[in-house]
Amino acid sequence: EESISRGGAINGPVVLPANAAESPLILYLKGEKKPRMPLRTDPLPDEAITLLSRWIDQLPEEDPQVSLHKAQEAAALAEKHLVWAKAYLPALEARIAADNAKYDNPPDLNAEALAETARKADRQASLLKAEADLLQAQQKLTDALNSKVSNEKEDRAREARIDAAGEELEAAQAALNSATTSYTPVGTLYPAASSGRRLALARWIASKNNPLTARVAINDIWLRHFGKALVSTVANFGMNGAAPSNPQLLDWLACQFMENNWSMKAMHRLMVTSNTYRMQSWPSDPKDSDLSLDPGNKDYWRMNPQRMEAEVVRDSMLYMAGLLDLSMGGPEIDETKGDESQRRSVYFHQTPDNQMVFLQVFDGANPIECYERAETVAPQQALALANSKLSFTVAGLMAGHLGGASPPAAAFVARAFEAVLDRPPSAEELRLSQQYLEREEDRFRDPEKPAWGSGADPAASSPVLRARVDLVHALLNHNDFVTIR
């Protein structure tokens, strides 16, 4: 029985006392774990397996003498804790009385006597607590020393438990032998007046004599509006980071920032109303000389195209469909309710471990690295726009808002491009979109030609409307939808 309980060095015990259902022996005999036992012979009959199961269920989980000893140790420790708990309450009351007397205005005449009473009561409670901790540490050390090991991994774990228990034992003995000259105050004591050090530090940080703060702030604001920072190493601003691409511009903006009383609102207004911000993202002439001279747009002769942030993608889709809830404030929303809630994406619960899937796919905010958003182009993003419930719902509602089946195909295509991509279709795009609508309408009319999934209800919509829903759905998957130009 001892060898069965101990088991092998690799797989451990083959039986779990009082738990036949999860015992490896029974699982192997039934064939629920491979290989089925016994090997190279007929399986045991069910009656024999049932008999073994009953025997295992009747095995005591632990030797009765061992269980009795552990129970006695636990009882002794509980008694120590109970004695300490009974002494702790009057000690706490005495400490509160001493504190009240000490800080009364004017001070209580009995303050010294109350402090001495509190010191004695506190010392008595501390001794009882140290005795309980000492007994607990001794029991832990004894258990660790007597524990059995069957392999090197368990031996290392045993040594770690012995070391930890030894440290606890030393700490408890030191607490037991320590002397006290006063009682422990009930709460943390703070000075009545501030030293002014924190205020002095804040004033130095936001001082014109320390332009680093203004430069860092301007670099972050510029990054949010232009998609590319003036100092590319946003999280490492200084001698170890990259040099600014436009140092004179950075310094001028930093000076403006300080001259405007460090007003970020003023800097946002200055940047978004500038000619640089309002320029088009790409030259109308592909042979523009600026494109060959500065293809990376270092000198900002055009605006940088930017990908939408994850929250903007979701909120834009809901807004176009007339579903976005614009109410302000309120508690955060569980990240699992992304398909149900129509509130703005900023209200969803966002932690390193819990993020809404749709936002995570489009590079949602990283709670750990808040300096700069990552920008990736991944297949999962296209799949999210193509297959998500949100995309189909938005496409169906937008097709209705754009006139449904009523306007001519060319007019509907133009409206869809303006609504989704914020631009009119080119002549080629208009032609291809009309051909697509005609082809999709034919598919929906012919039951033998299966149509690609539509966001509209097939039973309630005409072939024309269902085709137009699919066109809007396709535009939601267009690169121009997730790109800000």
Side-chain angles (χ1 to χ4, degrees), residues 157-398:
R158 174 177 175 271
E159 292 298 326
R161 290 198 304 274
I162 291 174
D163 292 341
E167 292 176 1
E168 289 185 23
L169 188 61
E170 290 179 5
Q173 288 173 335
L176 194 62
N177 297 326
S178 63
T180 57
T181 57
S182 64
Y183 69 93
T184 307
V186 175
T188 305
L189 301 180
Y190 297 98
S194 172
S195 66
R197 289 179 297 175
R198 287 178 294 176
L199 180 60
L201 174 62
R203 285 175 174 167
W204 175 79
I205 291 173
S207 166
K208 290 184 179 180
N209 295 326
N210 178 36
L212 176 63
T213 305
R215 289 188 178 118
V216 171
I218 289 299
N219 195 53
D220 279 82
I221 297 172
W222 184 274
L223 167 66
R224 268 63 182 179
H225 288 305
F226 291 89
K228 184 172 66 174
L230 294 170
V231 177
S232 58
T233 53
V234 181
N236 190 6
F237 195 105
M239 296 297 293
N240 293 329
S245 57
N246 299 76
Q248 294 84 1
L249 173 61
L250 177 63
D251 285 347
W252 183 81
L253 288 171
C255 290
Q256 291 294 312
F257 184 38
M258 293 185 287
E259 291 297 329
N260 281 280
N261 198 28
W262 301 80
S263 170
M264 290 191 175
K265 190 173 184 178
M267 297 314 301
H268 286 300
R269 184 185 297 112
L270 176 64
M271 290 184 189
V272 300
T273 57
S274 66
N275 290 334
T276 305
Y277 183 84
R278 291 181 290 174
M279 286 191 294
Q280 64 183 16
S281 302
W282 201 251
S284 53
D285 183 4
K287 297 182 180 179
D288 193 309
S289 59
D290 290 333
L291 187 60
S292 59
L293 292 174
D294 184 15
N297 196 30
K298 176 183 176 182
D299 294 324
Y300 292 95
W301 56 274
R302 58 178 174 83
M303 183 59 179
N304 289 313
Q306 303 174 51
R307 283 180 65 82
M308 280 185 181
E309 293 178 336
E311 295 84 355
V312 180
V313 174
R314 179 181 175 274
D315 291 359
S316 297
M317 294 173 71
L318 289 172
Y319 182 81
M320 290 187 300
L323 298 175
L324 185 62
D325 181 356
L326 294 174
S327 58
M328 301 287 286
E332 64 181 8
I333 307 168
D334 192 278
E335 71 280 357
T336 61
K337 296 184 178 180
D339 291 336
E340 305 170 24
S341 176
Q342 296 172 359
R343 297 212 62 196
R344 294 170 57 207
S345 303
V346 71
Y347 291 108
F348 281 98
H349 183 67
Q350 185 90 341
T351 67
D353 298 322
N354 301 298
Q355 300 178 31
M356 196 177 90
V357 176
F358 189 91
L359 300 182
Q360 189 176 21
V361 167
F362 286 93
D363 305 314
N366 186 344
I368 298 177
E369 299 175 0
C370 57
Y371 305 103
E372 187 175 9
R373 287 279 185 109
E375 258 191 29
T376 61
V377 179
Q380 292 87 341
Q381 295 169 351
L383 292 172
L385 289 175
N387 300 323
S388 68
K389 177 183 176 181
L390 177 63
S391 296
F392 286 117
T393 302
V394 169
L397 291 172
M398 284 194 67

Side-chain angles (χ1 to χ4, degrees), residues 65-79:
Q65 289 299 323
V66 174
S67 300
L68 177 61
H69 181 66
K70 287 185 177 180
Q72 291 172 340
E73 287 185 338
L77 182 60
E79 288 178 1

